[in-house]
PDB file of all heavy atoms in Angstrom:
ATOM      1  N   ALA A 156      20.536  61.203  65.060  1.00 98.00           N
ATOM      2  CA  ALA A 156      21.079  60.362  66.123  1.00 98.00           C
ATOM      3  C   ALA A 156      22.281  61.030  66.776  1.00 98.00           C
ATOM      4  O   ALA A 156      23.099  61.673  66.107  1.00 98.00           O
ATOM      5  CB  ALA A 156      21.471  59.003  65.568  1.00 98.00           C
ATOM      6  N   ALA A 157      22.399  60.869  68.095  1.00 98.00           N
ATOM      7  CA  ALA A 157      23.529  61.418  68.849  1.00 98.00           C
ATOM      8  C   ALA A 157      24.429  60.296  69.334  1.00 98.00           C
ATOM      9  O   ALA A 157      23.986  59.163  69.541  1.00 98.00           O
ATOM     10  CB  ALA A 157      23.028  62.232  70.024  1.00 98.00           C
ATOM     11  N   GLN A 158      25.704  60.626  69.543  1.00 98.00           N
ATOM     12  CA  GLN A 158      26.674  59.727  70.165  1.00 98.00           C
ATOM     13  C   GLN A 158      27.322  60.468  71.321  1.00 98.00           C
ATOM     14  O   GLN A 158      27.528  61.687  71.255  1.00 98.00           O
ATOM     15  CB  GLN A 158      27.740  59.281  69.161  1.00 98.00           C
ATOM     16  CG  GLN A 158      27.202  58.403  68.041  1.00 98.00           C
ATOM     17  CD  GLN A 158      28.294  57.944  67.081  1.00 98.00           C
ATOM     18  OE1 GLN A 158      29.356  58.557  66.985  1.00 98.00           O
ATOM     19  NE2 GLN A 158      28.038  56.874  66.358  1.00 98.00           N
ATOM     20  N   LEU A 159      27.663  59.724  72.402  1.00 98.00           N
ATOM     21  CA  LEU A 159      28.204  60.357  73.591  1.00 98.00           C
ATOM     22  C   LEU A 159      29.157  59.388  74.286  1.00 98.00           C
ATOM     23  O   LEU A 159      28.829  58.217  74.462  1.00 98.00           O
ATOM     24  CB  LEU A 159      27.062  60.740  74.529  1.00 98.00           C
ATOM     25  CG  LEU A 159      27.355  61.579  75.766  1.00 98.00           C
ATOM     26  CD1 LEU A 159      28.032  62.888  75.406  1.00 98.00           C
ATOM     27  CD2 LEU A 159      26.057  61.858  76.525  1.00 98.00           C
ATOM     28  N   THR A 160      30.338  59.878  74.669  1.00 98.00           N
ATOM     29  CA  THR A 160      31.343  59.041  75.329  1.00 98.00           C
ATOM     30  C   THR A 160      31.719  59.623  76.685  1.00 98.00           C
ATOM     31  O   THR A 160      31.529  60.814  76.944  1.00 98.00           O
ATOM     32  CB  THR A 160      32.614  58.922  74.473  1.00 98.00           C
ATOM     33  OG1 THR A 160      33.163  60.244  74.278  1.00 98.00           O
ATOM     34  CG2 THR A 160      32.314  58.296  73.123  1.00 98.00           C
ATOM     35  N   THR A 161      32.275  58.764  77.556  1.00 98.00           N
ATOM     36  CA  THR A 161      32.771  59.184  78.867  1.00 98.00           C
ATOM     37  C   THR A 161      34.100  58.487  79.152  1.00 98.00           C
ATOM     38  O   THR A 161      34.222  57.275  78.942  1.00 98.00           O
ATOM     39  CB  THR A 161      31.791  58.809  79.994  1.00 98.00           C
ATOM     40  OG1 THR A 161      30.530  59.435  79.753  1.00 98.00           O
ATOM     41  CG2 THR A 161      32.324  59.270  81.350  1.00 98.00           C
ATOM     42  N   VAL A 162      35.083  59.259  79.630  1.00 98.00           N
ATOM     43  CA  VAL A 162      36.381  58.699  80.028  1.00 98.00           C
ATOM     44  C   VAL A 162      36.795  59.333  81.356  1.00 98.00           C
ATOM     45  O   VAL A 162      36.778  60.564  81.496  1.00 98.00           O
ATOM     46  CB  VAL A 162      37.470  58.954  78.969  1.00 98.00           C
ATOM     47  CG1 VAL A 162      38.814  58.420  79.458  1.00 98.00           C
ATOM     48  CG2 VAL A 162      37.091  58.314  77.640  1.00 98.00           C
ATOM     49  N   ILE A 163      37.175  58.495  82.340  1.00 97.00           N
ATOM     50  CA  ILE A 163      37.664  58.960  83.635  1.00 97.00           C
ATOM     51  C   ILE A 163      39.188  58.826  83.664  1.00 97.00           C
ATOM     52  O   ILE A 163      39.741  57.775  83.330  1.00 97.00           O
ATOM     53  CB  ILE A 163      37.091  58.109  84.785  1.00 97.00           C
ATOM     54  CG1 ILE A 163      35.563  58.117  84.761  1.00 97.00           C
ATOM     55  CG2 ILE A 163      37.616  58.602  86.129  1.00 97.00           C
ATOM     56  CD1 ILE A 163      34.949  59.432  85.065  1.00 97.00           C
ATOM     57  N   THR A 164      39.888  59.902  84.095  1.00 97.00           N
ATOM     58  CA  THR A 164      41.348  59.871  84.190  1.00 97.00           C
ATOM     59  C   THR A 164      41.800  60.512  85.512  1.00 97.00           C
ATOM     60  O   THR A 164      41.440  61.664  85.779  1.00 97.00           O
ATOM     61  CB  THR A 164      41.992  60.628  83.022  1.00 97.00           C
ATOM     62  OG1 THR A 164      41.470  60.134  81.786  1.00 97.00           O
ATOM     63  CG2 THR A 164      43.499  60.442  83.033  1.00 97.00           C
ATOM     64  N   PRO A 165      42.605  59.810  86.324  1.00 97.00           N
ATOM     65  CA  PRO A 165      42.900  58.374  86.226  1.00 97.00           C
ATOM     66  C   PRO A 165      41.690  57.557  86.678  1.00 97.00           C
ATOM     67  O   PRO A 165      40.786  58.089  87.321  1.00 97.00           O
ATOM     68  CB  PRO A 165      44.089  58.197  87.173  1.00 97.00           C
ATOM     69  CG  PRO A 165      43.908  59.286  88.187  1.00 97.00           C
ATOM     70  CD  PRO A 165      43.303  60.451  87.465  1.00 97.00           C
ATOM     71  N   ALA A 166      41.705  56.283  86.401  1.00 96.00           N
ATOM     72  CA  ALA A 166      40.574  55.421  86.722  1.00 96.00           C
ATOM     73  C   ALA A 166      40.657  54.844  88.127  1.00 96.00           C
ATOM     74  O   ALA A 166      39.698  54.219  88.601  1.00 96.00           O
ATOM     75  CB  ALA A 166      40.476  54.281  85.703  1.00 96.00           C
ATOM     76  N   ARG A 167      41.819  55.058  88.801  1.00 97.00           N
ATOM     77  CA  ARG A 167      41.986  54.551  90.169  1.00 97.00           C
ATOM     78  C   ARG A 167      42.777  55.583  90.971  1.00 97.00           C
ATOM     79  O   ARG A 167      43.902  55.928  90.598  1.00 97.00           O
ATOM     80  CB  ARG A 167      42.715  53.199  90.146  1.00 97.00           C
ATOM     81  CG  ARG A 167      42.799  52.518  91.508  1.00 97.00           C
ATOM     82  CD  ARG A 167      43.463  51.160  91.365  1.00 97.00           C
ATOM     83  NE  ARG A 167      43.543  50.456  92.637  1.00 97.00           N
ATOM     84  CZ  ARG A 167      42.591  49.689  93.145  1.00 97.00           C
ATOM     85  NH1 ARG A 167      41.469  49.507  92.458  1.00 97.00           N
ATOM     86  NH2 ARG A 167      42.732  49.079  94.295  1.00 97.00           N
ATOM     87  N   VAL A 168      42.167  56.093  92.055  1.00 97.00           N
ATOM     88  CA  VAL A 168      42.799  57.141  92.862  1.00 97.00           C
ATOM     89  C   VAL A 168      42.497  56.910  94.335  1.00 97.00           C
ATOM     90  O   VAL A 168      41.672  56.070  94.700  1.00 97.00           O
ATOM     91  CB  VAL A 168      42.281  58.544  92.459  1.00 97.00           C
ATOM     92  CG1 VAL A 168      42.660  58.884  91.026  1.00 97.00           C
ATOM     93  CG2 VAL A 168      40.770  58.624  92.653  1.00 97.00           C
ATOM     94  N   THR A 169      43.155  57.695  95.169  1.00 97.00           N
ATOM     95  CA  THR A 169      42.844  57.666  96.602  1.00 97.00           C
ATOM     96  C   THR A 169      41.639  58.567  96.858  1.00 97.00           C
ATOM     97  O   THR A 169      41.368  59.510  96.100  1.00 97.00           O
ATOM     98  CB  THR A 169      44.033  58.160  97.420  1.00 97.00           C
ATOM     99  OG1 THR A 169      44.385  59.484  96.988  1.00 97.00           O
ATOM    100  CG2 THR A 169      45.234  57.233  97.254  1.00 97.00           C
ATOM    101  N   LYS A 170      40.928  58.292  97.923  1.00 96.00           N
ATOM    102  CA  LYS A 170      39.754  59.080  98.280  1.00 96.00           C
ATOM    103  C   LYS A 170      40.155  60.547  98.505  1.00 96.00           C
ATOM    104  O   LYS A 170      41.165  60.842  99.131  1.00 96.00           O
ATOM    105  CB  LYS A 170      39.113  58.522  99.548  1.00 96.00           C
ATOM    106  CG  LYS A 170      37.809  59.206  99.932  1.00 96.00           C
ATOM    107  CD  LYS A 170      37.174  58.524 101.129  1.00 96.00           C
ATOM    108  CE  LYS A 170      35.854  59.202 101.497  1.00 96.00           C
ATOM    109  NZ  LYS A 170      35.178  58.535 102.639  1.00 96.00           N
ATOM    110  N   GLY A 171      39.371  61.453  97.930  1.00 97.00           N
ATOM    111  CA  GLY A 171      39.639  62.880  98.062  1.00 97.00           C
ATOM    112  C   GLY A 171      40.455  63.464  96.932  1.00 97.00           C
ATOM    113  O   GLY A 171      40.597  64.689  96.840  1.00 97.00           O
ATOM    114  N   ALA A 172      40.998  62.612  96.073  1.00 97.00           N
ATOM    115  CA  ALA A 172      41.797  63.098  94.932  1.00 97.00           C
ATOM    116  C   ALA A 172      40.884  63.629  93.828  1.00 97.00           C
ATOM    117  O   ALA A 172      39.705  63.294  93.748  1.00 97.00           O
ATOM    118  CB  ALA A 172      42.679  61.977  94.405  1.00 97.00           C
ATOM    119  N   LYS A 173      41.461  64.470  92.979  1.00 97.00           N
ATOM    120  CA  LYS A 173      40.724  65.002  91.838  1.00 97.00           C
ATOM    121  C   LYS A 173      40.876  64.068  90.637  1.00 97.00           C
ATOM    122  O   LYS A 173      41.963  63.539  90.393  1.00 97.00           O
ATOM    123  CB  LYS A 173      41.245  66.390  91.469  1.00 97.00           C
ATOM    124  CG  LYS A 173      40.946  67.476  92.481  1.00 97.00           C
ATOM    125  CD  LYS A 173      39.487  67.916  92.395  1.00 97.00           C
ATOM    126  CE  LYS A 173      39.236  69.138  93.276  1.00 97.00           C
ATOM    127  NZ  LYS A 173      37.817  69.574  93.207  1.00 97.00           N
ATOM    128  N   VAL A 174      39.791  63.887  89.899  1.00 98.00           N
ATOM    129  CA  VAL A 174      39.843  63.133  88.641  1.00 98.00           C
ATOM    130  C   VAL A 174      39.229  63.995  87.545  1.00 98.00           C
ATOM    131  O   VAL A 174      38.420  64.888  87.815  1.00 98.00           O
ATOM    132  CB  VAL A 174      39.093  61.788  88.734  1.00 98.00           C
ATOM    133  CG1 VAL A 174      39.764  60.864  89.728  1.00 98.00           C
ATOM    134  CG2 VAL A 174      37.632  61.987  89.073  1.00 98.00           C
ATOM    135  N   THR A 175      39.629  63.722  86.326  1.00 98.00           N
ATOM    136  CA  THR A 175      39.106  64.454  85.170  1.00 98.00           C
ATOM    137  C   THR A 175      38.127  63.567  84.416  1.00 98.00           C
ATOM    138  O   THR A 175      38.425  62.414  84.102  1.00 98.00           O
ATOM    139  CB  THR A 175      40.249  64.873  84.229  1.00 98.00           C
ATOM    140  OG1 THR A 175      41.170  65.694  84.953  1.00 98.00           O
ATOM    141  CG2 THR A 175      39.712  65.650  83.043  1.00 98.00           C
ATOM    142  N   VAL A 176      36.967  64.116  84.142  1.00 98.00           N
ATOM    143  CA  VAL A 176      35.947  63.405  83.357  1.00 98.00           C
ATOM    144  C   VAL A 176      35.833  64.102  82.005  1.00 98.00           C
ATOM    145  O   VAL A 176      35.550  65.306  81.931  1.00 98.00           O
ATOM    146  CB  VAL A 176      34.582  63.402  84.048  1.00 98.00           C
ATOM    147  CG1 VAL A 176      33.604  62.504  83.293  1.00 98.00           C
ATOM    148  CG2 VAL A 176      34.699  62.951  85.497  1.00 98.00           C
ATOM    149  N   THR A 177      36.121  63.363  80.946  1.00 98.00           N
ATOM    150  CA  THR A 177      36.020  63.925  79.600  1.00 98.00           C
ATOM    151  C   THR A 177      34.992  63.145  78.797  1.00 98.00           C
ATOM    152  O   THR A 177      34.481  62.109  79.219  1.00 98.00           O
ATOM    153  CB  THR A 177      37.374  63.889  78.877  1.00 98.00           C
ATOM    154  OG1 THR A 177      37.812  62.522  78.772  1.00 98.00           O
ATOM    155  CG2 THR A 177      38.419  64.705  79.620  1.00 98.00           C
ATOM    156  N   GLY A 178      34.700  63.653  77.642  1.00 98.00           N
ATOM    157  CA  GLY A 178      33.757  62.978  76.756  1.00 98.00           C
ATOM    158  C   GLY A 178      33.568  63.781  75.482  1.00 98.00           C
ATOM    159  O   GLY A 178      34.204  64.828  75.288  1.00 98.00           O
ATOM    160  N   LYS A 179      32.702  63.285  74.637  1.00 98.00           N
ATOM    161  CA  LYS A 179      32.407  63.991  73.388  1.00 98.00           C
ATOM    162  C   LYS A 179      30.967  63.716  72.971  1.00 98.00           C
ATOM    163  O   LYS A 179      30.514  62.568  72.993  1.00 98.00           O
ATOM    164  CB  LYS A 179      33.354  63.554  72.262  1.00 98.00           C
ATOM    165  CG  LYS A 179      33.106  64.288  70.945  1.00 98.00           C
ATOM    166  CD  LYS A 179      34.082  63.866  69.876  1.00 98.00           C
ATOM    167  CE  LYS A 179      33.811  64.596  68.568  1.00 98.00           C
ATOM    168  NZ  LYS A 179      34.763  64.211  67.492  1.00 98.00           N
ATOM    169  N   LEU A 180      30.263  64.801  72.618  1.00 98.00           N
ATOM    170  CA  LEU A 180      28.910  64.708  72.079  1.00 98.00           C
ATOM    171  C   LEU A 180      28.960  64.993  70.585  1.00 98.00           C
ATOM    172  O   LEU A 180      29.481  66.025  70.162  1.00 98.00           O
ATOM    173  CB  LEU A 180      27.994  65.723  72.768  1.00 98.00           C
ATOM    174  CG  LEU A 180      26.569  65.835  72.213  1.00 98.00           C
ATOM    175  CD1 LEU A 180      25.788  64.543  72.446  1.00 98.00           C
ATOM    176  CD2 LEU A 180      25.840  67.031  72.838  1.00 98.00           C
ATOM    177  N   SER A 181      28.449  64.066  69.805  1.00 98.00           N
ATOM    178  CA  SER A 181      28.393  64.273  68.358  1.00 98.00           C
ATOM    179  C   SER A 181      27.028  63.855  67.848  1.00 98.00           C
ATOM    180  O   SER A 181      26.269  63.176  68.540  1.00 98.00           O
ATOM    181  CB  SER A 181      29.503  63.490  67.649  1.00 98.00           C
ATOM    182  OG  SER A 181      29.415  62.107  67.960  1.00 98.00           O
ATOM    183  N   ARG A 182      26.705  64.279  66.658  1.00 98.00           N
ATOM    184  CA  ARG A 182      25.415  63.905  66.076  1.00 98.00           C
ATOM    185  C   ARG A 182      25.554  63.676  64.583  1.00 98.00           C
ATOM    186  O   ARG A 182      26.492  64.168  63.931  1.00 98.00           O
ATOM    187  CB  ARG A 182      24.359  64.972  66.350  1.00 98.00           C
ATOM    188  CG  ARG A 182      24.648  66.330  65.749  1.00 98.00           C
ATOM    189  CD  ARG A 182      23.461  67.254  65.967  1.00 98.00           C
ATOM    190  NE  ARG A 182      23.751  68.624  65.535  1.00 98.00           N
ATOM    191  CZ  ARG A 182      22.826  69.574  65.431  1.00 98.00           C
ATOM    192  NH1 ARG A 182      21.570  69.315  65.735  1.00 98.00           N
ATOM    193  NH2 ARG A 182      23.146  70.787  65.032  1.00 98.00           N
ATOM    194  N   ALA A 183      24.601  62.907  64.056  1.00 98.00           N
ATOM    195  CA  ALA A 183      24.626  62.546  62.649  1.00 98.00           C
ATOM    196  C   ALA A 183      24.435  63.783  61.769  1.00 98.00           C
ATOM    197  O   ALA A 183      23.558  64.610  62.017  1.00 98.00           O
ATOM    198  CB  ALA A 183      23.526  61.533  62.345  1.00 98.00           C
ATOM    199  N   ASN A 184      25.281  63.883  60.761  1.00 98.00           N
ATOM    200  CA  ASN A 184      25.117  64.903  59.726  1.00 98.00           C
ATOM    201  C   ASN A 184      24.560  64.199  58.503  1.00 98.00           C
ATOM    202  O   ASN A 184      25.220  63.328  57.930  1.00 98.00           O
ATOM    203  CB  ASN A 184      26.465  65.565  59.418  1.00 98.00           C
ATOM    204  CG  ASN A 184      26.332  66.703  58.433  1.00 98.00           C
ATOM    205  OD1 ASN A 184      25.758  66.549  57.361  1.00 98.00           O
ATOM    206  ND2 ASN A 184      26.880  67.857  58.784  1.00 98.00           N
TER     207      ASN A 184
END
Side-chain angles (χ1 to χ4, degrees):
Q158 293 182 338
L159 188 57
T160 60
T161 301
V162 177
I163 303 293
T164 307
R167 186 177 181 86
V168 296
T169 57
K170 185 175 181 178
K173 291 284 188 180
V174 295
T175 301
V176 187
T177 60
K179 181 178 179 180
L180 174 66
S181 57
R182 62 174 174 170
N184 185 308

